[in-house]
Amino acid sequence: MLIFDAHLDLAMNALEWNRDLKRSIDEIRQRETGMTDKPDRGKGTVCLSEMRRGGIGLCVATQIARIAHNAYSPVFGWRSQEQAWAQTQGQLAWYRAMEETGQMTQIKDAEGLKRHLRLWAETPTGSSSFSSSSSIEMSSGNDDDDENEDDWKQKLPIGYILNLEGADSIVTLKHLERSYEQGLRAVGPAHYGPGVYANGTDATGGFNAKGRELLKEMQRLGIILDVTHLCDDCFWEALDLFTGPMWASHQNCRALVPHNRQFSDEQIEALVERGAVIGAALDAWMLVPGWVRKETTPESAGLTLEKIVEHIDHVCQIAGSARHSGIGSDLDGAFGREQTPADLDTIADLARIPTLLKARGYSEEDVTLIAHGNFVRFLTEAWS
Ligand SMILES: [Zn+2]
């Protein structure tokens, strides 16, 4: 089944973690043996071939660069907005390079989305519209085995919708317009702490004047508002200030894991009312309560993939249907196997979520909605 992953930081991994995502996951892990600069070295779970193996043919991929805020900087931040802009432009250059080799393809309108879905729905036999221009020139190491379904999938480009996580890099509103022209289709105004435009996770307070202007310009351009990471004050303000389409790309439930990074039942209800889709994330500390970094392990917490299904189910129970739930794994968001479910080896294991949902009694139709149908419907409507 096709899986839509609504949140991956692919370019950040390529450029800041120096990972060649065209390589196999084993090779990426091996090359990091002995490295200690980041906690997830040698434990990465995401590369392009593992995405294809799991049927993750479509994703929302980020540009991400924040500025260092004196009061709050738990993650690396640039000293100026111009530097952050340059960083996100470098990330875009990586996505473009992946497009040039046929590894990825940018999706920015309803027609492109439809075309891409058709490409992934083709069967290996009789795939006449499978043009060589969109196929990958296979790199070394591939022997001439009989073509099975996996080999066939491995030749397909992964579709990506460009999303900006945290808007600090938008120097002026002209930069937002330029980004839109480059294919940017969704923006989350804040990340962690206070930002240039809005307050994010662990911060408080509403949008400043610049933030309100940003929302207005997003609405004019038809950019989707990603409410993930907005602090509660900004979240509720955004519902009033922004009338365009909104989603929560990688977001879990506060009722299951009490922390302001997660959304309360009231927030989820409000999003359902606005037609949003909420992507459940696989970062361990957002799946189970009481996670202590560098202490708790997936095993000691009894953390398995079943936990993400509990968050998905919680959203469905509040919505009264399966029409607002999806997956936004965040699996390459600066963590690896040390901070993911114990029974997950790579992103290809997302393919097991449909089976877990069925075991809970979800119908085939509902499982399809959660796996990709809801986000596809959302985008089709947003871009109509
Ligand atoms: Zn995030």
Side-chain angles (χ1 to χ4, degrees):
M1 184 178 293
L2 179 75
I3 308 262
F4 184 116
D5 189 336
H7 193 81
L8 288 171
D9 298 302
L10 297 172
M12 181 189 85
N13 277 261
L15 298 188
E16 289 176 59
W17 269 246
N18 195 6
R19 288 173 172 162
D20 181 1
L21 300 180
K22 307 193 306 299
R23 305 276 170 181
S24 73
I25 201 73
D26 289 340
E27 199 175 335
I28 291 170
R29 286 173 181 168
Q30 272 165 22
R31 284 181 175 219
E32 296 181 1
T33 308
M35 291 177 75
T36 54
D37 60 324
K38 299 179 191 294
D40 59 327
R41 283 300 185 194
K43 299 181 194 127
T45 59
V46 178
C47 70
L48 297 172
S49 60
E50 286 301 301
M51 287 179 73
R52 292 190 191 93
R53 193 166 70 81
I56 302 128
L58 191 50
C59 69
V60 179
T62 64
Q63 290 172 296
I64 179 168
R66 52 171 304 122
I67 62 162
H69 199 282
N70 289 340
Y72 187 97
S73 53
V75 283
F76 175 80
W78 295 99
R79 300 284 172 221
S80 72
Q81 281 184 277
E82 291 80 3
Q83 287 166 281
W85 168 258
Q87 178 76 3
T88 59
Q89 289 301 294
Q91 291 165 346
L92 179 69
W94 180 80
Y95 289 120
R96 293 285 188 246
M98 290 301 99
E99 289 176 51
E100 279 168 28
T101 56
Q103 292 277 349
M104 297 180 76
T105 183
Q106 192 184 54
I107 311 285
K108 53 185 181 180
D109 53 36
E111 192 45 51
L113 176 63
K114 220 198 282 174
R115 217 179 311 124
H116 187 71
L117 290 171
R118 231 182 288 134
L119 184 67
W120 273 77
E122 296 265 348
T123 53
T125 47
S127 52
S128 53
S129 72
F130 176 45
S131 71
S132 57
S133 63
S134 63
S135 70
I136 296 160
E137 288 169 39
M138 302 301 277
S139 50
S140 60
N142 286 294
D143 33 42
D144 33 21
D145 281 342
D146 291 342
E147 178 148 291
N148 57 31
E149 203 199 333
D150 196 50
D151 290 337
W152 165 74
K153 269 196 300 200
Q154 287 300 341
K155 291 180 184 169
L156 296 180
I158 290 167
Y160 78 99
I161 294 130
L162 194 60
N163 163 65
L164 180 65
E165 183 170 23
D168 289 1
S169 61
I170 300 297
V171 185
T172 69
L173 294 185
K174 282 278 164 232
H175 289 75
L176 185 68
E177 195 169 359
R178 266 153 79 182
S179 291
Y180 180 83
E181 282 158 15
Q182 294 169 344
L184 183 69
R185 291 295 178 268
V187 170
H191 193 218
Y192 280 89
V196 173
Y197 297 95
N199 290 299
T201 303
D202 290 338
T204 54
F207 283 88
N208 57 28
K210 285 179 87 173
R212 287 162 184 260
E213 288 305 311
L214 179 83
L215 290 179
K216 228 187 268 173
E217 183 67 355
M218 282 170 60
Q219 191 151 323
R220 186 184 75 80
L221 292 166
I223 292 176
I224 295 157
L225 170 64
D226 187 354
V227 293
T228 289
H229 281 295
L230 287 181
C231 74
D232 287 2
D233 297 320
C234 276
F235 174 88
W236 292 111
E237 267 189 26
L239 290 187
D240 290 335
L241 294 169
F242 190 85
T243 58
M246 58 176 70
W247 67 26
S249 62
H250 56 307
Q251 189 71 49
N252 289 350
C253 308
R254 201 176 291 179
L256 304 181
V257 182
H259 186 281
N260 71 77
R261 172 67 180 83
Q262 276 68 253
F263 280 166
S264 68
D265 290 0
E266 292 72 28
Q267 288 173 303
I268 293 166
E269 254 169 59
L271 286 175
V272 166
E273 222 164 275
R274 290 290 291 267
V277 180
I278 299 164
L282 275 166
D283 194 342
W285 80 270
M286 308 196 310
L287 285 167
V288 286
W291 183 274
V292 183
R293 272 171 219 271
K294 292 179 185 164
E295 259 178 52
T296 316
T297 64
E299 290 76 18
S300 73
L303 174 58
T304 63
L305 263 181
E306 186 66 35
K307 288 288 173 197
I308 193 176
V309 177
E310 287 173 20
H311 285 267
I312 291 171
D313 185 56
H314 189 79
V315 170
C316 293
Q317 297 303 332
I318 290 174
S321 81
R323 290 178 62 81
H324 298 274
S325 213
I327 299 164
S329 79
D330 200 15
L331 273 172
D332 55 5
F335 59 93
R337 290 202 64 201
E338 79 289 354
Q339 209 169 298
T340 56
D343 56 348
L344 181 143
D345 181 38
T346 77
I347 191 166
D349 288 309
L350 294 188
R352 286 172 35 227
I353 293 176
T355 314
L356 294 171
L357 283 164
K358 278 180 207 161
R360 262 181 188 252
Y362 280 76
S363 70
E364 181 79 25
E365 195 189 342
D366 285 347
V367 170
T368 307
L369 287 176
I370 293 164
H372 64 262
N374 288 329
F375 274 117
V376 168
R377 180 194 68 239
F378 177 99
L379 284 168
T380 306
E381 286 171 9
W383 291 343
S384 66

